[in-house]
Amino acid sequence: MLDTALSIVKKTLLFLVVMLTPLLAPAQVINDPATQQTILKVLDSIYNLEFKEADILIRQLQIKYPQHPIGPILRATQLDIQYLPLAENKAATSQFMQSVAQAMEFTKKMLDKDENNPEAKFFMLTCHSYLAAQYHNQGESLKAVGESKKAYSYLRDGSKLMEKIPDFYFTTGLYNYYVERYPIDHPIVRPFMFFFADGDIALGIKQMDVATRKALFMRPVANYYLSHVLLKHETNAGRAIGYTKYLVDKYPDNPLFAMTYVESLMLAGRYVEARPYVQRLKTMPNKLVPLAFNTFSGMLAEQDEKDDKEAATYYQTALKQPFNEGYTKEYQAFAYAGLARIAARANDRTQAKLYYKKALSVGEYKSLIKEAKAYK
């Protein structure tokens, strides 16, 4: 029983830290305004897939600050986006791990000089979170849990540093949200949550919203994750649109942001607005896009054009595409749910139930689960 309890706690801790991984983002750095502007330019280049420009600017920062973690952290961030999904590229993954290791070495030196350095704490949280997520994606669970444990202490420290470093509003808010939400969705872990400090769902959403406006370097990340929370858990696509539109307007070439914006419009029933962005997805070369494009095209055909035959063709095509656990799994579930609705309208209850069962086997969105379970 003790082994089971510890296993559950470890899995919960890993989930929380992986969710808190600052996707696409580095941490708070030097107070020099000119350096901050350079870092923001690097991030804008990375998010919008302008990697040559990012390379030039990162090299400038590394020359100016050869012993500072910002250079290798930005390099790791670029690799994560340039080779999305990173875990499927061994060479890029190796470079990513080397960059994080170098950033961690520099950060340790900062902490040796001042163990209470807020900037260094944020860098260390970023490094351990990056490693935890990468080990998790590689199936190395013991290493992932080890990095998660190390990240947790810096995460807790960050909750006291939000006024000094506004980027901590994001990590603190996401923790406050998920430490309460996770046991709601997974009741088996509830008896073991005394290992974690209490959170607050409403406060977590509020803090993440503050980060979407005040964070210096993690503003895109805060917009992305808060929209994900609203879409997956809160069934509030209308509110999510504001955050996803910020991302797609600022970074029009980013396929991840484009997919999320289309998703929020589709789930809100705003099909006319979604249509041109679905077509834009078709032109994006990233391997994650075909599944999303076909699923969204099926949803437009089904829900806007009322053409079940065309919709079914798109959904079936989508299901032939490989899906990624972290980015497009839910779109596979959407396709199964679409086929279930089409079967139900054709009075094929057996097929409808089968498709809803498949949707439930992969889907995690509250709205989809409610729809599938309601069909009898």
Side-chain angles (χ1 to χ4, degrees):
M1 181 63 183
L2 178 59
D3 289 343
T4 301
L6 290 175
S7 176
I8 291 172
V9 170
K10 287 178 179 179
K11 288 180 180 178
T12 305
L13 177 60
L14 174 61
F15 172 82
L16 290 169
V17 171
V18 169
M19 284 304 300
L20 287 163
T21 298
L23 177 68
L24 326 181
Q28 167 73 12
V29 292
I30 307 162
N31 291 323
D32 175 41
T35 299
Q36 288 188 359
Q37 288 304 309
T38 300
I39 294 167
L40 290 174
K41 288 180 182 178
V42 173
L43 291 173
D44 284 347
S45 298
I46 291 173
Y47 297 156
N48 214 33
L49 314 188
E50 298 164 351
F51 300 120
K52 289 184 179 179
E53 177 67 18
D55 283 335
I56 294 170
L57 294 171
I58 292 172
R59 283 197 293 271
Q60 291 175 1
L61 287 170
Q62 288 178 313
I63 292 171
K64 188 173 183 179
Y65 303 105
Q67 297 297 311
H68 196 283
I70 187 57
I73 281 292
L74 285 170
R75 182 67 65 197
T77 302
Q78 177 179 334
L79 289 164
D80 191 37
I81 300 307
Q82 187 170 357
Y83 297 98
L84 186 75
L86 180 64
E88 297 180 12
N89 188 306
K90 291 184 178 180
T93 296
S94 177
Q95 294 176 45
F96 172 89
M97 298 296 278
Q98 291 173 12
S99 294
V100 175
Q102 186 180 39
M104 187 173 291
E105 179 184 349
F106 292 153
T107 305
K108 285 178 179 177
K109 291 179 180 179
M110 294 171 68
L111 289 171
D112 287 342
K113 293 180 180 179
D114 179 6
E115 64 180 9
N116 295 315
N117 184 327
E119 179 180 304
K121 287 178 181 290
F122 200 107
F123 275 111
M124 196 59 82
L125 169 60
T126 301
C127 289
H128 286 304
S129 297
Y130 264 14
L131 291 176
Q134 193 57 36
Y135 285 135
H136 174 71
N137 291 336
Q138 293 173 340
E140 299 184 63
S141 58
L142 290 179
K143 290 183 179 180
V145 169
E147 295 298 332
S148 299
K149 288 180 178 178
K150 295 173 184 176
Y152 182 68
S153 63
Y154 296 106
L155 172 64
R156 297 303 303 151
D157 289 343
S159 66
K160 305 179 185 71
L161 297 169
M162 290 183 288
E163 293 304 316
K164 290 185 178 180
I165 300 180
D167 297 72
F168 274 125
Y169 273 105
F170 167 66
T171 53
T172 302
L174 201 57
Y175 175 84
N176 277 328
Y177 183 86
Y178 271 105
V179 80
E180 296 297 324
R181 171 60 68 188
Y182 190 72
I184 292 174
D185 295 341
H186 305 84
I188 192 173
V189 310
R190 190 179 297 279
F192 310 104
M193 292 303 291
F194 65 87
F195 283 87
F196 303 98
D198 291 341
D200 183 318
I201 285 178
L203 177 61
I205 291 176
K206 182 178 179 181
Q207 289 168 329
M208 284 186 279
D209 178 69
V210 171
T212 67
R213 291 175 281 108
K214 289 188 175 183
L216 295 176
F217 305 121
M218 298 188 73
R219 188 172 299 177
V221 185
N223 278 273
Y224 177 79
Y225 270 113
L226 181 50
S227 65
H228 177 75
V229 163
L230 293 170
L231 291 168
K232 178 178 180 179
H233 298 290
E234 301 299 316
T235 315
N236 193 342
R239 184 177 177 186
I241 288 172
Y243 303 108
T244 56
K245 190 174 190 308
Y246 163 82
L247 294 171
V248 80
D249 285 348
K250 190 169 179 62
Y251 309 110
D253 293 329
N254 188 301
L256 189 60
F257 295 161
M259 289 189 296
T260 306
Y261 182 53
V262 172
E263 178 186 337
S264 62
L265 289 172
M266 295 296 296
L267 294 181
R270 291 164 61 167
Y271 307 121
V272 173
E273 294 170 72
R275 190 172 295 278
Y277 288 94
V278 173
Q279 291 306 308
R280 182 185 295 181
L281 281 176
K282 191 176 182 180
T283 67
M284 293 182 169
N286 189 277
K287 65 177 65 176
L288 297 174
V289 170
L291 171 55
F293 167 75
N294 283 290
T295 295
F296 293 140
S297 294
M299 293 171 73
L300 284 174
E302 178 201 357
Q303 298 172 15
D304 188 34
E305 300 165 14
K306 310 302 180 184
D307 187 336
D308 282 356
K309 183 178 180 180
E310 183 178 11
T313 298
Y314 276 120
Y315 288 143
Q316 294 288 6
T317 301
L319 292 172
K320 294 176 183 177
Q321 304 291 333
F323 74 91
N324 180 273
E325 185 77 20
Y327 299 107
T328 58
K329 179 180 72 170
E330 204 69 29
Y331 302 153
Q332 186 185 58
F334 289 173
Y336 279 128
L339 289 171
R341 291 189 296 270
I342 292 171
R345 284 192 289 271
N347 296 316
D348 189 343
R349 295 180 57 79
T350 300
Q351 195 66 47
K353 288 181 179 181
L354 177 61
Y355 280 131
Y356 271 133
K357 183 178 180 180
K358 289 183 177 181
L360 287 171
S361 71
V362 293
E364 297 180 347
Y365 277 33
K366 297 296 180 296
S367 55
L368 183 144
I369 292 172
K370 182 179 179 181
E371 175 188 335
K373 287 186 175 181
Y375 185 78
K376 296 179 181 179

